[in-house]
């Protein structure tokens, strides 16, 4: 049996060039993501009063403010979705149209890390379904053969199940105790 690791058939790869290319690609990606985030933050700050800007900037002098910045950076860099980046920017500047406590902010930032645009669109489509008529604190949704097409998303059932499992794992969707519904 021929040892393919030392075979003459396999061309030599210059590992240093490959690693440098990967490193450069990663840095360009990070810079692009952070640049998009900063642009969205600056755009929102254009509509803030001087007092709101002052409160916003002073919030980073707190222990919580210093800690949450690293959470935002992680979420920005590790979330390929432009929608997520924009949502993070609005959350970061404490947009007056959205009111979140510090705990809710931390939870939301950690929940949306890694979401792709396709996953965001799927989540939004699920929340647009008509909730099941129940007397519970949270809306309940059921996806079945009769309403799957109403989601109007380009995924198959297997992918949908994987996304729902991820949403539940992240805490974006809650499981019904008796199972079957989300």
């Amino acid at each position: 049996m021929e040892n393919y690791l030392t075979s003459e058939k396999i061309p030599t790869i210059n590992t240093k060039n490959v690693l440098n290319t990967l490193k450069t690609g990663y840095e360009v990606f990070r810079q692009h993501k952070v640049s998009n985030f900063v642009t969205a933050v600056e755009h929102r700050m254009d509509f803030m009063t001087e007092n709101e800007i002052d409160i916003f900037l002073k919030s980073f002098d707190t222990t919580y403010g210093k800690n949450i910045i690293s959470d935002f950076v992680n979420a920005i860099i590790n979330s390929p979705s432009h929608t997520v980046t924009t949502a993070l920017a609005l959350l970061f500047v404490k947009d007056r149209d959205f009111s979140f406590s510090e705990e809710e902010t931390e939870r939301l930032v950690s929940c949306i890390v890694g979401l792709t645009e396709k996953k965001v669109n799927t989540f939004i489509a699920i929340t647009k379904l008509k909730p099941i008529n129940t007397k519970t604190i949270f809306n309940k949704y059921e996806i079945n053969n009769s309403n799957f097409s109403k989601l109007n998303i380009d995924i198959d059932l297997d992918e949908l199940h994987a996304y729902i499992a991820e949403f539940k794992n992240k805490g974006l969707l809650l499981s019904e105790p008796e199972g079957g519904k989300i």
Side-chain angles (χ1 to χ4, degrees), residues 32-77:
H32 173 73
K33 293 295 293 177
V34 171
S35 176
N36 284 344
F37 176 79
V38 169
T39 299
V41 168
E42 289 173 340
H43 178 72
R44 179 60 191 101
M45 288 180 72
D46 288 341
F47 297 94
M48 295 170 71
T49 66
E50 284 186 34
N51 187 47
E52 288 172 326
I53 292 172
D54 189 46
I55 291 169
F56 167 65
L57 295 175
K58 285 181 180 175
S59 71
F60 299 108
D61 291 335
T62 66
T63 302
Y64 167 79
K66 291 173 184 171
N67 290 332
I68 196 71
I69 287 175
S70 64
D71 294 341
F72 273 95
V73 169
N74 179 53
I76 295 160
I77 292 171

Side-chain angles (χ1 to χ4, degrees), residues 2-6 8-9 11 13 28 33 45 52 59-60 75 81 86 91 95 97 99 115 121 136 150 155 162:
E2 188 173 0
N3 182 348
Y4 287 101
L5 295 177
T6 59
E8 297 293 325
K9 297 176 185 176
I13 298 173
V28 168
K33 293 295 293 177
M45 288 180 72
E52 288 172 326
S59 71
F60 299 108
S81 166
T86 303
L91 188 61
D95 187 279
D97 292 333
S99 178
L115 292 182
N121 291 336
T136 60
K150 291 179 184 175
I155 62 173

Side-chain angles (χ1 to χ4, degrees), residues 154-170:
D154 187 28
I155 62 173
D156 59 31
L157 281 173
D158 290 341
E159 196 172 11
L160 177 62
H161 283 283
Y163 286 6
I164 288 172
E166 182 177 347
F167 297 154
K168 287 179 180 180
N169 187 44
K170 289 178 172 287

Side-chain angles (χ1 to χ4, degrees), residues 109-161:
V109 169
S110 69
C111 286
I112 61 178
V113 171
L115 292 182
T116 63
E117 205 66 38
K118 195 172 191 181
K119 290 175 184 175
V120 170
N121 291 336
T122 300
F123 181 80
I124 291 169
I126 290 170
T127 63
K128 288 182 178 180
L129 290 174
K130 184 178 179 184
I132 297 171
N133 190 13
T134 59
K135 294 179 182 177
T136 60
I137 296 173
F138 301 106
N139 287 336
K140 290 184 182 182
Y141 303 92
E142 183 174 28
I143 301 171
N144 53 41
N145 292 344
S146 65
N147 69 356
F148 176 71
S149 62
K150 291 179 184 175
L151 289 174
N152 199 23
I153 49 178
D154 187 28
I155 62 173
D156 59 31
L157 281 173
D158 290 341
E159 196 172 11
L160 177 62
H161 283 283

